[in-house]
Amino acid sequence: MKLLGRYLPLVGLLILIGSQTAWASGSVVSKSMDYERARWHPIHFKPMIDQATDEQCLACHKEILDHRVRKASPAGVKADEALAWYETLNTYAGEQETFHRRHLMTPYAKKIMDMKCNTCHQGNDPREETANSSATGRSDLIQRKHVDPNVCLMCHGQFPYKHMGLPGPWPESEKAFHTCLTCHATIRTHRHQVNFLKADAIEAAAKKDSDVCYGCHGGRAWYRISYPYPRHDWPNSTPAPDWAKDRPTESPARFLKPVKAAASK
Ligand code: HEC
Ligand code: HEC
Ligand code: HEC
Ligand code: HEC
Ligand code: HEC
């Protein structure tokens, strides 16, 4: 009995580890789980969210990929007759889609990108939606947002033409230079080696259509600034210009993991 008492905490620990690996590898839902427990499920937060698979999130959030846009708005505007300015690039195709489906499900999205739920979702505070309301508030969370806008900025910033010595925005510069690859076949060729992009597919698609590159670098800009991209060395790379002196030379670590894992397989 004495002996069991001594080892009981260890047994508990093993069960805990066991149940956590069960989470990591498979189901996170149980029949006894009520709404609040599901809402506060640790999978929503660090550290568990970093390991979460899309399947685990979708076990509870199937609607994220199932929901489709209305056929018409309440005011009667038909979805298939509506076209926004950012939906006019050559790459835009198909009917109107929800935000999540545009990034995860459409043929074009699947061709060039490989985003996961946790590429964008890194946790938020469901109680107050604010990080700084109390001493125990989590300062690493983004204020009243579910997603850090810097993630969006990577693909929805302005075209940084001044950094390229170009005379003006792409629609003006395009006439003289035709395609991005006129220069980028040899300049900053180490690009897109991250776990949410399909680097080779991007290059292949861009050879046929420059709107592929422009699409993520100014063609659908929601912001007035461009993203300060890391500046990787490339074969025959030149020293960093002044505007790039403080830039990182590698992508953020969380975007590198499975890429490196996949490479060593
Ligand atoms: C066990 C079920 C369950 C799992 C697994 C789960 N969620 Fe949730 N999640 C919920 C519930 C319940 C809510 C509250 C929904 C509501 O109030 O509409 C919620 C809310 C959210 C919200 C909105 C938060 C807010 O403050 O309004 C986001 C974003 C979210 N989940 C993302 C995710 C992501 C990403 C994953 C995977 C990493 C995930 N969830 C896994 C059940 C789950
Ligand atoms: C491209 C980035 C991105 C990806 C990838 C992404 N989300 Fe979201 N998600 C968002 C944004 C932005 C919102 C809206 C946030 C807000 O309202 O503050 C959102 C909202 C949500 C919500 C809240 C309910 C709603 O519809 O607004 C849930 C739940 C959710 N996402 C789950 C998921 C799941 C599950 C996945 C993976 C299958 C996923 N998301 C992938 C960016 C993303
Ligand atoms: C990895 C690159 C990438 C990231 C990160 C990204 N987007 Fe996108 N986004 C795209 C691409 C590519 C399209 C166009 C897809 C197409 O034309 O089919 C798009 C389209 C959109 C659209 C238009 C949808 C439509 O149906 O017309 C909106 C709105 C949008 N993104 C907002 C966001 C927001 C907000 C975030 C951050 C939460 C975000 N995006 C993150 C690449 C990205
Ligand atoms: C006239 C040649 C030229 C053309 C055409 C050109 N670029 Fe560039 N680009 C450059 C140069 C030069 C740099 C900076 C190189 C360095 O970091 O030393 C650059 C840098 C960039 C950067 C990184 C900017 C930053 O702030 O880190 C992106 C992204 C980029 N180009 C995308 C594009 C896209 C997309 C197109 C086509 C729509 C394009 N470029 C067309 C020459 C060009
Ligand atoms: C689906 C969106 C998307 C498309 C399409 C795309 N880019 Fe990018 N680009 C990104 C993102 C995101 C990054 C930053 C990735 C990282 O953190 O390393 C980036 C980084 C870059 C950089 C910085 C490279 C460095 O030093 O790390 C250059 C230059 C660039 N892109 C040029 C291009 C060109 C040229 C094309 C067309 C061949 C193109 N991009 C197509 C999203 C895109």
Side-chain angles (χ1 to χ4, degrees), residues 54 57-58 61 63-65 99-100 103-104 115-117 120-121 145-147:
D54 284 11
C57 305
L58 289 167
H61 290 294
E63 80 286 355
I64 286 297
L65 299 183
F99 166 87
H100 280 99
H103 290 90
L104 297 167
M115 284 198 271
K116 324 284 186 299
C117 307
C120 296
H121 291 285
K145 292 252 191 304
H146 293 177
V147 169

Side-chain angles (χ1 to χ4, degrees), residues 178-196:
H178 307 296
T179 119
C180 313
L181 297 172
T182 307
C183 302
H184 284 286
T186 50
I187 295 172
R188 291 191 60 170
T189 47
H190 182 114
R191 51 184 176 242
H192 309 138
Q193 305 299 319
V194 285
N195 56 22
F196 60 92

Side-chain angles (χ1 to χ4, degrees), residues 19-34:
S19 63
Q20 288 204 333
T21 38
W23 275 352
S25 60
S27 175
V28 284
V29 198
S30 70
K31 284 220 173 92
S32 61
M33 192 179 280
D34 60 19

Side-chain angles (χ1 to χ4, degrees), residues 131-152:
N132 305 317
S133 63
S134 71
T136 53
R138 303 243 330 252
S139 58
D140 58 322
L141 298 179
I142 301 299
Q143 190 79 338
R144 296 189 201 289
K145 292 252 191 304
H146 293 177
V147 169
D148 182 348
N150 280 304
V151 172
C152 320

Side-chain angles (χ1 to χ4, degrees), residues 163 183-191 230-241 243-244 249:
H163 291 168
C183 302
H184 284 286
T186 50
I187 295 172
R188 291 191 60 170
T189 47
H190 182 114
R191 51 184 176 242
R231 188 175 183 276
H232 289 89
D233 279 342
W234 68 94
N236 305 320
S237 56
T238 48
W243 54 263
T249 53

